[in-house]
Amino acid sequence: MKQQNISIVISLYNEEIGIIHFWNSLKKVILATTNVNFELIWVNDGSTDGTQTIIDSIREENSLSNIESISIEFSKNFGHESAMIAGIDNARGDAIICIDSDGQHPPGEIPKMIQAYNQGNDIVLMQRLHRNDNSYLKKKFSKLFYKTINYLSAIKFEENSTDFFLISNRIKVILESNFRDHNRFIRGFIQSLGFSKSKLSFNAPAREYGESSYSYLSLLKLAFNAIFSFSNKPLRISVFLSFIFILVTIGMIGYTLFTYIYGTIAPSGYNTIIIFMSASFSILFVTLSVLSLYFEKLLQETRKRPIYIIKQKND
């Protein structure tokens, strides 16, 4: 059977406590996998702790013949999505697997992903069924996010899909050539491409080492990036609301003129006027806010600034 080349992109940010444990789990999977050469791409997303030192020691000590390790260190923290893009850009395998090093993407699922790829799938999505340390609020936030984006977007995204996925080399070429957005949602990008696709399920264990760098603010930012990357409906909703208020305004003007011309006494309307003006200005500012967000995203794309900057790369 022909030897396959599989690249594994490992994103890291301040993970010095858990890297060794992750590496031990990954190494067991690699040792048990036959007829595959692995290219490990360790992407250090500007860590401020000893993450890079541990990566270097793992690379120096590795003596397995079917593993080649590459280390990429960013000049600063560019974010998780940028780390994945950098790893994908530098991957040379027939297929590429993206995985986090925090232990919540189980390396034991990798053989199943490779098997799904060998069955002819260009994309293998990993759908999280359960996460042991997820709070009630985060679960509700995730459900609301997918409901919102699936309502707003023409593309229907798999609920609870994660940044643990496999793509073929031809998907990598498409991402490298055409999807260079600064406002990224990679798991959304790969779902929007078409091609043959498989979906696998897994349970995410509780994080045992270190703390998550994803705050609610980070999750909210990712949600906005996803919505504004895949939908223009917020703009259309703003236009629709504006049109409704134009009709209401015309109606109020007509009513005022009618009472003036025919001399009827209009009821006291102070409260009505205040409520209407408040509602009108609220709609106006919401519309301006939506326009501002789209304008901000447009500016970021037109500036063509780098998605990431590599401080050091070790092959």
Side-chain angles (χ1 to χ4, degrees):
M1 185 177 178
K2 181 185 174 183
Q3 286 281 112
Q4 280 186 310
N5 297 307
I6 302 293
S7 298
I8 301 179
V9 175
I10 306 157
S11 306
L12 309 103
Y13 178 68
N14 290 346
E15 297 284 357
E16 65 175 348
I17 298 175
I19 300 177
I20 294 299
H21 303 281
F22 167 80
W23 167 236
N24 289 334
S25 298
L26 181 61
K27 187 161 55 173
K28 287 179 185 176
V29 173
I30 289 173
L31 286 170
T33 306
T34 57
N35 297 316
V36 177
N37 291 320
F38 288 95
E39 177 188 54
L40 305 185
I41 305 174
W42 304 84
V43 184
N44 179 5
D45 184 21
S47 298
T48 55
D49 60 2
T51 296
Q52 188 61 45
T53 302
I54 299 173
I55 293 172
D56 293 339
S57 66
I58 290 172
R59 292 182 62 250
E60 289 171 7
E61 292 171 12
N62 171 49
S63 58
L64 299 176
S65 59
N66 65 330
I67 293 181
E68 180 183 356
S69 277
I70 296 172
S71 166
I72 295 173
E73 183 181 3
F74 285 175
S75 61
K76 68 181 185 71
N77 178 245
F78 283 90
H80 182 244
E81 298 266 322
S82 295
M84 287 194 292
I85 282 288
I88 292 169
D89 287 349
N90 287 274
R92 295 168 292 185
D94 303 316
I96 301 148
I97 294 171
C98 284
I99 187 170
D100 291 346
S101 62
D102 57 10
Q104 295 185 311
H105 293 167
E109 301 294 326
I110 288 175
K112 298 176 189 176
M113 299 169 77
I114 295 173
Q115 183 181 12
Y117 164 69
N118 288 332
Q119 291 170 350
N121 294 294
D122 286 290
I123 300 166
V124 181
L125 301 173
M126 298 301 290
Q127 185 178 35
R128 184 176 58 239
L129 291 179
H130 179 71
R131 179 172 167 177
N132 291 338
D133 63 349
N134 231 5
S135 66
Y136 174 81
L137 191 58
K138 277 192 175 180
K139 287 178 183 176
K140 289 297 181 183
F141 182 88
S142 177
K143 190 172 285 260
L144 177 63
F145 163 70
Y146 278 103
K147 278 187 177 179
T148 303
I149 194 170
N150 282 332
Y151 170 73
L152 293 174
S153 174
I155 301 163
K156 301 307 174 189
F157 298 99
E158 295 290 344
E159 188 171 340
N160 291 327
S161 61
T162 65
D163 290 325
F164 185 23
F165 57 80
L166 177 149
I167 57 173
S168 67
N169 184 265
R170 65 174 171 174
I171 300 296
K172 166 245 169 79
V173 171
I174 293 171
L175 291 177
E176 196 174 19
S177 304
N178 301 300
F179 286 81
R180 307 309 290 179
D181 305 40
H182 285 70
N183 301 289
R184 294 164 304 281
F185 184 54
I186 298 176
R187 74 183 83 157
F189 287 168
I190 63 175
Q191 290 186 58
S192 70
L193 295 177
F195 292 94
S196 51
K197 190 185 305 172
S198 176
K199 182 178 67 176
L200 302 176
S201 301
F202 74 101
N203 288 315
R207 185 179 178 119
E208 296 183 26
Y209 308 98
E211 295 181 359
S212 174
S213 59
Y214 256 86
S215 62
Y216 283 106
L217 186 61
S218 300
L219 292 172
L220 190 62
K221 182 180 177 183
L222 181 64
F224 272 111
N225 278 342
I227 290 168
F228 287 103
S229 294
F230 286 96
S231 178
N232 291 325
K233 273 191 179 177
L235 284 173
R236 294 171 188 169
I237 291 171
S238 298
V239 171
F240 175 76
L241 289 175
S242 300
F243 180 71
I244 292 297
F245 267 82
I246 288 171
L247 293 179
V248 172
T249 302
I250 292 172
M252 291 186 72
I253 291 170
Y255 174 71
T256 303
L257 290 174
F258 177 85
T259 57
Y260 176 77
I261 293 170
Y262 290 96
T264 57
I265 300 173
S268 177
Y270 176 79
N271 291 333
T272 304
I273 292 170
I274 293 300
I275 291 170
F276 177 74
M277 289 183 64
S278 299
S280 298
F281 277 105
S282 297
I283 294 296
L284 173 63
F285 287 124
V286 166
T287 303
L288 288 174
S289 297
V290 169
L291 288 170
S292 297
L293 286 170
Y294 275 103
F295 186 63
E296 178 197 8
K297 305 301 179 190
L298 181 63
L299 275 178
Q300 289 175 345
E301 300 303 329
T302 55
R303 284 170 178 157
K304 299 293 182 184
R305 289 176 182 169
I307 296 172
Y308 58 84
I309 299 173
I310 295 177
K311 176 182 176 182
Q312 186 172 296
K313 179 181 176 182
N314 297 310
D315 295 324

